[in-house]
Amino acid sequence: GEDVEQSLFLSVREGDSSVINCTYTDSSSTYLYWYKQEPGAGLQLLTYIFSNMDMKQDQRLTVLLNKKDKHLSLRIADTQTGDSAIYFCAVAYTGTASKLTFGTGTRLQVTL
Amino acid sequence: DTAVSQTPKYLVTQMGNDKSIKCEQNLGHDTMYWYKQDSKKFLKIMFSYNNKELIINETVPNRFSPKSPDKAHLNLHINSLELGDSAVYFCASRLTGGTNYGYTFGSGTRLTVV
């Protein structure tokens, strides 16, 4: 089955950029997502990218996709303390039986 | 409010009990999911229904039985609860054939088995 890996922890200073990385194994993954989970809260969709794209920018968020290396990254510019959360990448393919397969999650800590 | 809503938000129960979690969506989606998030925050799919038909059934103990009375509702019944069932259970929905960013999650049900 699909395997999605992320580093467990990232600490950055407020105002710096954060880069959260994700690798996946199934090259048929068509849609790739980033979700944010704040403590005690649900899953908030931050952004997504289709597999035929290399990059997507959405305000402070930039997603880069390297299909050859099966590598996805999320860059958060000007990181704020409110960005402290767990970030999950998730992948899916098309079809009725499509499901999201989540990465292990990266805990982002933003320090002053 | 349009959303995926789950009830209850918190559930504390004793080992051996039977409990149910309910999920409803008013987004017009036709596919619904149950995900389990364990204490290490790993998220794993359990079940998926499309138009009331079970289409994904991952390796889950048969003490867990999902039921979808219609495409807007997906419930999860758990028999003989065990300590290891303690987790946060998330319901999600999407529209098949729609733009696939349409996975919408509920806010979760935190189940604690004591």
Side-chain angles (χ1 to χ4, degrees):
Chain A
E2 176 75 87
D3 201 16
V4 185
E5 296 286 336
Q6 299 176 240
S7 50
L8 286 181
F9 186 75
L10 176 66
S11 181
V12 299
R13 287 188 185 241
E14 192 177 40
D16 287 350
S17 290
S18 309
V19 179
I20 302 171
N21 294 302
C22 171
T23 57
Y24 59 97
T25 54
D26 189 347
S27 56
S28 65
S29 295
T30 312
Y31 301 90
L32 304 104
Y33 306 80
W34 285 102
Y35 282 84
K36 176 183 180 183
Q37 187 178 33
E38 297 186 55
L43 294 158
Q44 176 196 351
L45 176 65
L46 286 178
T47 187
Y48 63 94
I49 190 168
F50 300 129
S51 59
N52 60 359
M53 298 166 68
D54 298 324
M55 186 182 97
K56 181 178 179 182
Q57 187 148 5
D58 187 355
Q59 299 183 328
R60 290 191 299 127
L61 305 179
T62 303
V63 179
L64 293 177
L65 173 61
N66 182 327
K67 274 191 75 177
K68 179 174 160 289
D69 294 339
K70 300 194 196 91
H71 182 265
L72 182 73
S73 67
L74 174 69
R75 180 176 177 269
I76 306 173
D78 186 26
T79 313
Q80 303 296 308
T81 54
D83 295 325
S84 293
I86 299 177
Y87 290 80
F88 292 94
C89 72
V91 302
Y93 53 87
T94 55
T96 305
S98 176
K99 62 183 181 185
L100 277 177
T101 300
F102 283 90
T104 43
T106 299
R107 187 178 295 273
L108 175 64
Q109 179 184 65
V110 183
T111 58
L112 295 172
Chain B
D1 241 333
T2 54
V4 178
S5 55
Q6 297 179 227
T7 53
K9 194 169 168 61
Y10 301 97
L11 184 53
V12 181
T13 187
Q14 289 191 320
M15 272 173 52
N17 283 352
D18 303 337
K19 290 292 177 188
S20 290
I21 308 171
K22 294 181 188 296
C23 179
E24 175 182 5
Q25 55 89 9
N26 59 4
L27 300 164
H29 290 170
D30 57 0
T31 304
M32 296 184 73
Y33 303 82
W34 280 114
Y35 278 83
K36 178 180 178 181
Q37 185 173 44
D38 64 20
S39 57
K40 293 184 179 167
K41 305 296 183 186
F42 295 145
L43 278 153
K44 203 160 174 314
I45 188 164
M46 301 174 72
F47 302 104
S48 172
Y49 271 77
N50 174 260
N51 280 320
K52 304 192 293 176
E53 184 186 340
L54 180 67
I55 53 170
I56 294 176
N57 184 356
E58 296 286 305
T59 310
V60 174
N62 56 18
R63 298 182 294 103
F64 290 78
S65 48
K67 258 199 186 97
S68 183
D70 56 61
K71 64 180 186 179
H73 295 84
L74 179 61
N75 303 322
L76 184 65
H77 187 76
I78 316 169
N79 287 326
S80 304
L81 276 152
E82 299 177 359
L83 293 176
D85 298 331
S86 295
V88 180
Y89 293 84
F90 285 101
C91 177
S93 71
R94 75 174 181 108
L95 181 63
T96 313
T99 45
N100 225 33
Y101 57 79
Y103 288 86
T104 305
F105 282 81
S107 55
T109 295
R110 183 175 294 275
L111 171 65
T112 304
V113 183
V114 297

